[in-house]
Amino acid sequence: MKLSTKGRYGLRAVVDLAMHADEEAVSLSSVAERQHISMSYLEQLIAKLKKAGIVSSVRGSQGGYVLAKTPEEISVGDILRALEGSLNPVDCAAITGEGESCGGSGSCVTKYVWQRITDSINDTVDSIRLSELIDRGKDGTGEKPAAGTNAQNKCVC
């Protein structure tokens, strides 16, 4: 399974938002600058995250975006599914429960493989909380990265 830029950039943006919130809204322009994401693309990602109830907007001169829930309540799976949709590695109706199964699903032995992979992916991303990523993003002092830097300085994922 390979995630698109929607999932990768969106996850980075939510982590950045969480790390820089400090009880006030964060501007998209600051997230875009720190994460090297185009503003128009970031706006599209944030719209999906807002629709999913992961972020919310704050109006006004000090407006921007904040998390709609605590970091402990948000899983990586929540974020990725909001941006990517299903995380299933194959389009198999027998696994997703969407649409009609193929004629051979009753005797399909590979369905077992796809189901195990799907379950593993979902279990993994659902077990990782945003709060864990925030903790990993701190520089070891318990503080957020210095202004003008991002939590992924060594990573362009």
Side-chain angles (χ1 to χ4, degrees):
M1 184 186 115
K2 189 171 184 177
L3 295 174
S4 72
T5 56
K6 286 187 288 190
R8 296 187 341 257
Y9 288 12
L11 182 58
R12 283 178 27 204
V14 173
V15 171
D16 184 283
L17 186 70
M19 291 183 74
H20 291 90
D22 294 336
E23 298 186 29
E24 64 182 44
V26 178
S27 72
L28 285 189
S29 60
S30 66
V31 175
E33 183 180 324
R34 281 190 298 268
Q35 297 302 321
H36 308 286
I37 302 171
S38 82
M39 188 65 171
S40 60
Y41 194 48
L42 183 56
E43 287 171 340
Q44 293 172 37
L45 300 176
I46 291 295
K48 287 183 176 225
L49 293 164
K50 186 176 176 184
K51 184 177 180 183
I54 294 170
V55 301
S56 58
S57 59
V58 176
R59 295 182 181 262
S61 61
Q62 300 297 314
Y65 288 85
V66 295
L67 296 177
K69 305 173 188 172
T70 67
E72 294 78 17
E73 295 175 298
I74 301 171
S75 74
V76 169
D78 296 332
I79 297 165
L80 294 178
R81 279 188 287 277
L83 296 163
E84 299 277 357
S86 169
L87 300 178
N88 295 336
V90 295
D91 292 328
C92 175
I95 293 171
T96 64
E98 299 170 3
E100 290 188 34
S101 295
C102 65
S105 76
S107 61
C108 179
V109 294
T110 59
K111 177 176 66 175
Y112 172 77
V113 174
W114 311 137
Q115 185 65 59
R116 291 279 309 268
I117 292 170
T118 297
D119 292 345
S120 294
I121 290 168
N122 286 313
D123 289 347
T124 299
V125 297
D126 288 338
S127 72
I128 304 168
R129 297 286 158 184
L130 182 56
S131 55
E132 291 178 59
L133 298 180
I134 294 166
D135 291 343
R136 288 182 173 273
K138 292 178 180 174
D139 64 4
T141 64
E143 299 297 321
K144 68 182 179 189
T149 64
N150 67 37
Q152 292 83 18
N153 277 336
K154 297 175 185 152
C155 177
V156 292
C157 320

